[in-house]
Structures are given as structure tokens and as C-alpha cells.
């Protein structure tokens, strides 16, 4: 059951399940809080799991007019934690959720107890892929919907080489049915993602216990990018066989196991 909080004049939807030390989960671009559902079911008996839905995603409202970059997204997610009275938390971010998570860890380092980054990259988006995604975003904005060819393109890049048919169908349907009133937020957040600043240098100064998780068949952010982040963080990298960008769903048991082992060390 989603709950809601008004932040910068827009309703932010989130899940708040379980009891214990808090974990703030960030989901990937184009997804919603259910991208972490298998992990929530495993962890909520021991941890309080908070999963906000990105602006324009899931049941959240549009991107606030005050939002101009990923630092603003991080600040708004911090407002959620403040509204819940949660001072310290582990941050687990997937894709775009990892990118705004890095911004948040820089913003309030003493409140982020530990950091897990899955399927993301703190550096620049390469020029070739940035141009491709910008073209897709321009077409989505012009048509006020996600064309089938673009939905297929994102789906192919999000999933492993031999994706589960149900995940593939669900991804295509999600994009085809994107609400027209949330297309603007989808496009603007996409521009935040592909136009992100290079934050690689920040990672060497993070002192929190950290873990990087990458699907072995990741196409949005290749495994090498994960190793670059792990080297800067001075932390291990866990490779997940048979998984792509959505490893939390494609190989849920492996991702859950990696999280449980990491959390047990804190």
C-alpha cells in the first residue's frame, strides 16, 4: 500500500514496510517501487524499508517546478526521510536511484550509514549513448507517449540477453501505458539521468561501508563501470550472473543474498 507526502507541491508516493534499522531504496528510471519487491519481502522482518517512487513514476505526481537536477531529487528524498523522522539509514540505489543516492550521500554523509549501488555509474554518460537517449526523449516529448520502437529499445537494454518473457512483456506494457500527464516528468528526469554530472571523484571521499552490485549482462551501465566505482569506493563488487539492469527482479535471490550478507556486516 502506497503512502503519500506532499513535497514541493507535488505528491510523492512511497512504500514504508517493516521495522528495524531503516533502508532507503531508490528504483531505476522507468520503474516503480515494486522493482525492489522481492528484497522488501525478504528484509522487512528485520529492517524498515522505505521505497519512494520517482516523480512521474508509479503513483507519484509530476516533477516539482523547483526541481532542476539530481541534487534537487536527492534533497526531496531527504525531505521524505525527515517527514518520517528517520535520522540514519542505509541507502540502496538501482540505476537512477543509485545516481541520486550518490548525491544524497554527499549531501548528508553522516546520515547515510552505508551505500549500495546497483546497475549505475557515477561518471558522465558516454556521448554516443547520450545522443541516442536524448533522441528518444525528444520523440517521447513530441508524441506525448512512449512509441513502441522506443519501448522495445529500452526493454532490450534493461533486461538480460535471454530475458524472462513475463518481465519482457511487463516492461513493454509499462512503457506503452505511461500516463500522458506524467510524460513531462518522464522526459525531464531522463534528461537529469543522461545529463548527470561526473561524480566519480566524490566516491574516494565516502567513508561509509559500501557495496557495488552489477548484473553480468548489464547493458545500460557495463560491469566495467561498476568496477571503476568499486575501486574509488574501496569496496567489493558483486557480479550477478544472468541479470541485466533490473537484477533485483531478474536474479532476485542473488541480489537479496548479496544485500543480506552486506547488511549483516554493519
Amino acid at each position: 500500500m502506497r503512502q503519500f507526502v506532499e513535497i514541493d507541491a507535488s505528491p510523492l508516493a512511497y512504500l514504508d514496510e517493516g521495522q528495524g534499522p531503516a533502508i532507503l531504496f531508490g528504483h531505476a528510471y522507468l520503474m516503480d517501487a515494486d522493482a525492489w519487491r522481492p528484497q522488501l519481502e525478504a528484509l522487512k522482518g528485520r529492517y524498515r524499508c522505505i521505497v519512494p517512487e520517482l516523480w512521474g513514476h508509479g503513483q507519484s505526481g509530476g516533477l516539482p517546478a523547483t526541481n532542476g537536477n539530481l541534487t534537487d531529487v536527492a534533497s526531496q528524498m531527504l525531505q521524505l526521510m525527515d517527514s518520517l523522522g528517520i535520522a540514519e539509514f542505509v541507502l540502496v540505489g538501482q540505476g537512477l536511484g543509485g545516481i541520486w543516492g550518490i548525491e544524497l550521500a554527499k549531501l548528508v554523509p553522516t546520515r547515510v550509514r552505508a551505500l549500495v549501488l546497483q546497475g549505475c555509474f557515477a561518471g558522465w554518460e558516454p556521448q554516443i549513448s547520450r545522443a541516442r537517449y536524448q533522441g528518444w526523449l525528444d520523440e517521447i516529448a513530441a508524441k506525448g507517449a512512449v512509441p513502441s520502437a522506443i519501448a522495445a529499445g529500452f526493454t532490450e537494454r534493461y533486461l538480460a540477453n535471454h530475458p524472462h518473457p513475463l518481465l519482457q512483456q511487463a516492461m513493454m506494457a509499462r512503457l506503452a501505458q505511461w500516463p500522458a500527464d506524467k510524460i513531462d516528468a518522464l522526459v525531464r528526469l531522463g534528461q537529469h539521468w543522461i545529463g548527470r554530472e561526473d561524480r566519480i571523484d566524490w566516491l574516494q571521499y565516502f567513508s561509509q561501508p559500501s557495496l557495488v552490485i552489477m548484473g553480468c549482462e548489464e547493458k545500460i551501465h557495463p560491469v566495467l563501470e561498476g568496477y571503476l566505482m568499486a575501486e574509488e569506493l574501496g569496496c567489493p563488487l558483486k557480479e550477478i550472473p544472468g541479470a541485466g539492469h533490473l537484477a533485483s527482479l531478474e536474479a532476485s535471490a542473488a541480489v537479496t543474498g548479496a544485500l543480506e550478507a552486506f547488511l549483516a556486516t554493519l
Side-chain angles (χ1 to χ4, degrees):
M1 181 73 69
R2 268 58 166 177
Q3 300 184 51
F4 296 86
V5 61
E6 193 86 1
I7 294 178
D8 292 350
S10 187
L12 183 74
Y14 65 95
L15 295 176
D16 182 353
E17 300 184 7
Q19 295 182 341
I23 305 174
L24 173 61
F25 289 87
H27 66 77
Y29 182 60
L30 304 178
M31 303 305 292
D32 60 19
D34 288 330
W36 287 112
R37 174 51 62 189
Q39 289 70 43
L40 263 63
E41 293 302 323
L43 296 172
K44 65 183 182 181
R46 292 159 288 164
Y47 300 93
R48 182 179 180 183
C49 301
I50 312 297
V51 197
E53 296 190 313
L54 284 167
W55 303 115
H57 293 59
Q59 296 182 34
S60 286
L63 195 68
T66 55
N67 189 295
N69 52 44
L70 290 172
T71 305
D72 292 335
V73 175
S75 297
Q76 289 157 342
M77 299 306 169
L78 184 61
Q79 289 182 56
L80 166 64
M81 301 306 276
D82 289 344
S83 74
L84 297 174
I86 298 174
E88 293 185 340
F89 48 90
V90 174
L91 198 151
V92 179
Q94 172 193 68
L96 184 54
I99 300 305
W100 66 251
I102 291 169
E103 298 282 340
L104 185 52
K106 173 69 171 179
L107 190 65
V108 287
T110 60
R111 295 181 63 177
V112 177
R113 295 181 51 225
L115 182 65
V116 179
L117 302 175
Q118 179 197 304
C120 66
F121 185 49
W124 299 105
E125 183 66 29
Q127 183 176 357
I128 293 176
S129 56
R130 180 172 178 172
R132 177 194 300 118
Y133 297 138
Q134 184 60 62
W136 289 359
L137 293 175
D138 289 344
E139 188 171 349
I140 291 169
K143 295 188 175 180
V146 182
S148 59
I150 294 176
F154 272 122
T155 299
E156 188 276 331
R157 285 165 177 79
Y158 266 49
L159 300 178
N161 296 331
H162 302 287
H164 192 289
L166 291 180
L167 276 178
Q168 191 174 37
Q169 293 165 15
M171 182 80 179
M172 287 290 292
R174 171 192 302 279
L175 296 178
Q177 298 165 11
W178 208 274
D181 63 347
K182 294 184 178 181
I183 288 293
D184 176 69
L186 178 72
V187 171
R188 289 172 60 197
L189 266 182
Q191 291 169 338
H192 286 5
W193 164 48
I194 65 172
R196 63 186 179 275
E197 297 290 334
D198 185 352
R199 305 304 197 195
I200 281 287
D201 286 349
W202 284 6
L203 303 184
Q204 63 183 304
Y205 301 109
F206 286 1
S207 59
Q208 302 97 335
S210 301
L211 173 68
V212 176
I213 301 174
M214 300 294 287
C216 291
E217 298 177 18
E218 170 77 54
K219 301 164 194 166
I220 298 289
H221 299 295
V223 175
L224 176 60
E225 295 182 344
Y227 276 105
L228 292 174
M229 293 195 301
E231 182 177 1
E232 292 297 320
L233 287 165
C235 76
L237 183 145
K238 176 68 174 177
E239 293 191 37
I240 306 296
H245 194 57
L246 301 182
S248 63
L249 294 175
E250 290 190 289
S252 59
V255 171
T256 299
L259 284 176
E260 289 179 323
F262 175 73
L263 292 168
T265 68
L266 303 179

